Amino acid sequence: METPITPTEPPHTFAECTRVAVPMIQVLGRISGRWSLYVIMALMRGPMRFSELRRQVHGVSQKMLTQTLRELEEDGIVHRTVTPIIPPRVDYELTDMGRELQAPLTAISEWTERNGDRVARARERYAAAKGI
Amino acid sequence: METPITPTEPPHTFAECTRVAVPMIQVLGRISGRWSLYVIMALMRGPMRFSELRRQVHGVSQKMLTQTLRELEEDGIVHRTVTPIIPPRVDYELTDMGRELQAPLTAISEWTERNGDRVARARERYAAAKGI
DNA sequence: CAGGATCCTGATTGATACTG
DNA sequence: CAGTATCAATCAGGATCCTG
């Protein structure tokens, strides 16, 4: 019998191909928080201070940036360095693990590049069909 | 000058590596909707009827399953076939584009497999440090 | 069987003000 | 500068009832 797919009770198979989908869900959840991916992408350019990060990631509120960074730090994707001077200085950088995200993110990016047009056309068709 | 990263105004670079991040965000947004990934994973096993899908994806409400399927259909990831009989029969299956998601999802899955433990340990450390 | 329409609630997010 | 704290608004998700 096939393992049912559930978000609450861990192990289940991922097609006929891979396993580990629950942590995967959690990872995706983190990655795709409203701002996480943007922060990660910004940090892939190199280490950055809070204020610089805030300038890079347009539209993020200081509250959400802080929160996002805390979550990424909690997961060991981002490293936070506090220099206790006045005024305070805090630097952020990706950890090794964080940098390793580049491969999977690139894979998604490639899928997007290959299929972006098709998605757009699918949406148009859908909208048109709905209009009829 | 570097292109700033923004969720509302499209083009910006993805590290020194790839481009196209805005559709990527949208894709991730879709993929990581609470249920989307589970539905996709279920459908990677093969075509399925609504009721079967609902059994496979534990805990999903009928409303959310419907909504998720509509979104995936709108993006051209899932194909919907209605057989107008009584009682109605509706089949769902991945499109080619949907099946191609396997590669990127596998990449994330692999990252998770390599780093799941590290994430767990990072969280423990973070919790411990916060406790002090 | 498949899904539309409502109502309702808790979680997310944003704006604002304050601080070491 | 880099936050924390608070309040208000928005929204996604679930429960329930209904129908071709």
Side-chain angles (χ1 to χ4, degrees):
Chain A
M1 182 202 154
E2 291 275 13
T3 312
I5 291 173
T6 158
T8 46
E9 290 167 20
H12 59 277
T13 65
F14 172 38
E16 325 79 68
C17 159
T18 40
R19 287 159 307 103
V20 190
V22 167
M24 179 171 155
I25 292 286
Q26 290 178 4
V27 167
L28 274 173
R30 277 290 158 87
I31 294 182
S32 66
R34 183 100 168 60
W35 301 105
S36 312
L37 196 49
Y38 292 110
V39 170
I40 293 173
M41 293 195 311
L43 287 176
M44 280 194 181
R45 292 172 176 172
M48 222 170 280
R49 297 183 59 172
F50 186 87
S51 47
E52 172 64 11
L53 213 34
R54 193 169 174 193
R55 272 191 298 277
Q56 292 285 328
V57 182
H58 272 229
V60 70
S61 68
Q62 156 253 55
K63 173 189 166 182
M64 290 319 293
L65 181 54
T66 300
Q67 186 176 310
T68 301
L69 285 166
R70 288 293 179 285
E71 289 171 359
L72 293 174
E73 190 196 356
E74 184 178 351
D75 282 2
I77 290 173
V78 159
H79 181 70
R80 179 169 178 263
T81 310
V82 181
T83 310
I85 57 179
I86 293 177
R89 176 193 176 106
V90 182
D91 289 87
Y92 292 92
E93 61 183 326
L94 291 180
T95 60
D96 289 345
M97 190 162 66
R99 274 185 288 273
E100 285 173 26
L101 269 173
Q102 194 149 43
L105 293 185
T106 299
I108 293 179
S109 182
E110 283 167 359
W111 184 91
T112 303
E113 224 160 324
R114 272 201 313 279
N115 296 291
D117 293 349
R118 277 203 274 176
V119 170
R121 267 181 283 124
R123 287 185 185 175
E124 282 168 29
R125 244 181 294 122
Y126 188 89
K130 218 182 55 179
I132 297 173
Chain B
M1 181 204 155
E2 290 275 13
T3 312
I5 292 173
T6 157
T8 46
E9 289 166 22
H12 59 274
T13 65
F14 172 37
E16 324 82 65
C17 157
T18 41
R19 289 158 306 103
V20 190
V22 167
M24 181 171 154
I25 291 286
Q26 290 179 3
V27 167
L28 274 173
R30 277 290 160 86
I31 292 181
S32 65
R34 183 99 168 64
W35 299 105
S36 311
L37 196 49
Y38 291 111
V39 170
I40 292 173
M41 294 195 310
L43 286 176
M44 281 194 180
R45 292 172 177 173
M48 222 171 281
R49 299 183 59 174
F50 186 87
S51 47
E52 173 64 10
L53 214 34
R54 193 167 172 195
R55 273 190 297 276
Q56 291 285 327
V57 183
H58 273 229
V60 70
S61 67
Q62 157 252 60
K63 172 188 169 183
M64 291 320 294
L65 181 53
T66 299
Q67 186 176 308
T68 301
L69 285 166
R70 287 295 178 286
E71 290 172 359
L72 294 175
E73 189 196 356
E74 185 178 351
D75 282 2
I77 290 173
V78 158
H79 181 71
R80 179 167 177 265
T81 310
V82 181
T83 310
I85 56 178
I86 293 179
R89 176 191 176 109
V90 182
D91 289 86
Y92 292 93
E93 61 183 325
L94 291 180
T95 60
D96 289 344
M97 190 162 65
R99 274 185 287 272
E100 285 172 25
L101 269 173
Q102 193 148 44
L105 293 185
T106 299
I108 293 179
S109 183
E110 283 168 357
W111 183 92
T112 303
E113 226 162 322
R114 273 202 312 280
N115 296 292
D117 293 351
R118 278 202 274 176
V119 169
R121 267 181 284 124
R123 287 185 184 175
E124 282 169 30
R125 245 181 293 121
Y126 188 89
K130 219 183 53 179
I132 295 172

